[in-house]
Amino acid sequence: MLSSVRLIPRTAWLVHSPICSSSRSFMDLKVLLSSLNDFASLSLAESWDNVGLLVEPSQPHTVHTLFLTNDLTEKVMEEALQKKADLILSYHPPIFRPLKHITWKTWKERLVIRALENRVGIYSPHTAYDAAPQGVNSWLAKGLGVCTSRPIHPSKAPKYPTVGTHRVEFSVNCTEDLDKVISAVKEIADVSVTSFSTRTDDEEQTRISLNCSQEALIQVVNFLSQSRQFYQKTEILSLEKPLLLHTGMGRLCTLDESVSLATMIERIKSHLKLSHVRLALGVGRTLESPVKVVALCAGSGSTVLQGTEADLYLTGEMSHHDVLDAASQGINVILCEHSNTERGFLSDLRDMLGAHLENKINIILSETDRDPLHVV
């Protein structure tokens, strides 16, 4: 888990050239990918996302230099090649929608061609890093001041705590029926069976407990419905995946001490190294209004923040109408442009990955990667 990673002081990185990796060893690509998944599991990513290894050079492939960027543009690709990167970790996936052909026609196709020609892999974690305990959203919350935070939408464990998605329980009175039932349900795929003795109204009974998949549930219910004795005493439970601690989308942050909106604006600008942000004042609010609770989401926050009670919404971008909705409820909104709420995390990521990978490879940040929008 990310929360157990020991951070390395920034000064430790300043003694190394961003290009030279002679003092370091290397890692096999497959080993590195496994370590990256241990660092922040790709199972944390949203179902709609496209994460993981997007471009893979032919095997074997060793990685001496890992190149970090928020967005992989053609200019950033040129920089990565000049610095002899073996693997590019691009926070945003440069391949999101399926490519129907790989030609020189579009910039994303050209990225794939140049990566393969130069034997450079491309890996994207995206929303897996959004959800991680010490990921992008937790980094964004650091700029608010001393606070406690929790995910707005907690992540669930990738697997159920037991086999199956449902549990079906019912009672059987006689041994003859018991043997018949157990024999029948064992023939259904994806069903596990346990039994235990119970006493109801001074009558000995055997309680049958079945764990089954969604598909098998239909067959189990169909079997039980053939006998009123079983069906009337049946309980069906939906098994929930357990929530993961400190893991999930967005953060709801409660400050230890309230500050004015004006003060909060300056804190955010300082943390993100921005001279300007966009502000929508909530109805009835002023720059001197107190801010105690902040709901934030790096990148595009409309869906994650919607319906959350807070004094302030902080995100990169929201739709015009979502801003109007929030402001009408008295919620202030600060927009910083999409990638400005994400890019600064990469410096922390470099240090954390260095510790996690035991400094076996050279890790460098892009110097040309930046948000495409500027205030003019």
Side-chain angles (χ1 to χ4, degrees):
M1 295 292 294
L2 285 175
S3 55
S4 64
V5 173
R6 176 174 58 84
L7 297 180
I8 294 178
R10 177 67 53 80
T11 53
W13 291 95
L14 300 180
V15 299
H16 299 293
S17 163
I19 300 178
C20 176
S21 59
S22 58
S23 62
R24 301 180 187 275
S25 57
F26 59 86
M27 296 182 70
D28 177 78
L29 177 61
K30 291 184 178 180
V31 174
L32 176 56
L33 293 176
S34 178
S35 294
L36 290 175
N37 195 63
D38 290 340
F39 177 75
S41 174
L42 295 176
S43 65
L44 299 177
E46 294 289 276
S47 59
W48 50 260
D49 207 354
N50 189 36
V51 296
L53 186 63
L54 306 184
V55 175
E56 180 180 11
S58 58
Q59 296 293 334
H61 186 68
T62 56
V63 178
H64 296 268
T65 298
L66 176 63
F67 181 90
L68 308 182
T69 184
N70 200 80
D71 292 293
L72 182 57
T73 63
E74 290 189 277
K75 187 174 183 180
V76 172
M77 172 62 82
E78 186 62 37
E79 179 192 6
L81 296 180
Q82 289 178 358
K83 293 180 177 178
K84 303 187 183 306
D86 304 296
L87 178 66
I88 297 172
L89 188 155
S90 177
Y91 167 73
H92 284 140
I95 304 173
F96 191 77
R97 296 180 179 87
L99 298 176
K100 293 186 177 181
H101 37 64
I102 306 296
T103 70
W104 208 247
K105 186 175 181 180
T106 67
W107 70 276
K108 290 192 175 183
E109 293 174 57
R110 291 194 292 271
L111 287 178
V112 175
I113 293 172
R114 296 209 69 190
L116 291 174
E117 286 180 339
N118 291 275
R119 290 185 51 75
V120 177
I122 301 176
Y123 175 92
S124 176
H126 200 202
T127 52
Y129 279 11
D130 289 348
Q134 295 299 326
V136 182
N137 284 305
S138 293
W139 167 82
L140 186 58
K142 290 180 180 179
L144 304 179
V146 181
C147 64
T148 57
S149 67
R150 62 175 177 82
I152 296 174
H153 299 286
S155 296
K156 294 183 178 180
K159 297 180 180 180
Y160 288 91
T162 185
V163 177
T165 60
H166 291 79
R167 177 170 294 161
V168 181
E169 293 189 353
F170 56 93
S171 297
V172 178
N173 292 327
C174 65
T175 304
E176 182 178 340
D177 288 338
L178 176 63
D179 294 338
K180 176 184 176 182
V181 168
I182 292 180
S183 177
V185 295
K186 282 187 174 180
E187 294 181 2
I188 302 175
D190 298 324
V191 172
S192 62
V193 185
T194 58
S195 62
F196 51 94
S197 298
T198 62
R199 176 177 289 275
T200 304
D201 297 330
D202 293 328
E203 182 181 6
E204 287 286 345
Q205 294 182 331
T206 300
R207 191 72 174 166
I208 304 296
S209 179
L210 311 176
N211 282 4
C212 60
S213 64
Q214 178 73 46
E215 295 75 14
L217 177 63
I218 299 174
Q219 299 180 60
V220 170
V221 171
N222 181 58
F223 167 74
L224 294 176
S225 65
Q226 297 174 17
S227 171
R228 176 173 295 185
Q229 174 192 353
F230 301 146
Y231 193 65
Q232 288 181 339
K233 300 179 180 179
T234 298
E235 295 179 2
I236 301 177
L237 307 175
S238 176
L239 302 178
E240 293 290 335
K241 296 178 181 178
L243 299 180
L244 297 176
L245 191 64
H246 308 307
T247 306
M249 295 300 164
R251 293 294 184 271
L252 187 64
C253 307
T254 302
L255 300 175
D256 284 9
E257 297 183 5
S258 299
V259 298
S260 69
L261 176 59
T263 297
M264 181 56 67
I265 291 171
E266 292 307 312
R267 287 183 180 180
I268 292 168
K269 288 163 65 175
S270 175
H271 184 57
L272 301 183
K273 299 179 173 58
L274 297 175
S275 57
H276 299 84
V277 295
R278 292 191 286 166
L279 169 68
L281 280 173
V283 172
R285 303 294 187 260
T286 70
L287 289 176
E288 296 308 312
S289 295
V291 174
K292 178 73 172 179
V293 179
V294 181
L296 62 83
C297 177
S300 181
S302 290
T303 302
V304 172
L305 300 177
Q306 190 172 38
T308 304
E309 295 184 7
D311 301 311
L312 171 67
Y313 284 176
L314 170 61
T315 187
E317 59 180 336
M318 288 176 64
S319 75
H320 173 78
H321 296 286
D322 287 334
V323 172
L324 290 178
D325 286 342
S328 72
Q329 301 170 56
I331 302 172
N332 305 299
V333 179
I334 293 178
L335 305 180
C336 309
E337 306 306 346
H338 190 111
S339 68
N340 288 336
T341 57
E342 304 161 337
R343 185 170 288 102
F345 166 71
L346 295 181
S347 294
D348 283 9
L349 176 64
R350 175 186 58 186
D351 296 345
M352 289 188 289
L353 283 181
H356 181 72
L357 301 175
E358 300 177 341
N359 295 322
K360 292 179 180 178
I361 59 175
N362 194 35
I363 305 176
I364 57 178
L365 296 180
S366 171
E367 297 177 4
T368 58
D369 171 45
R370 54 182 50 87
D371 195 274
L373 294 174
H374 304 274
V375 177
V376 295

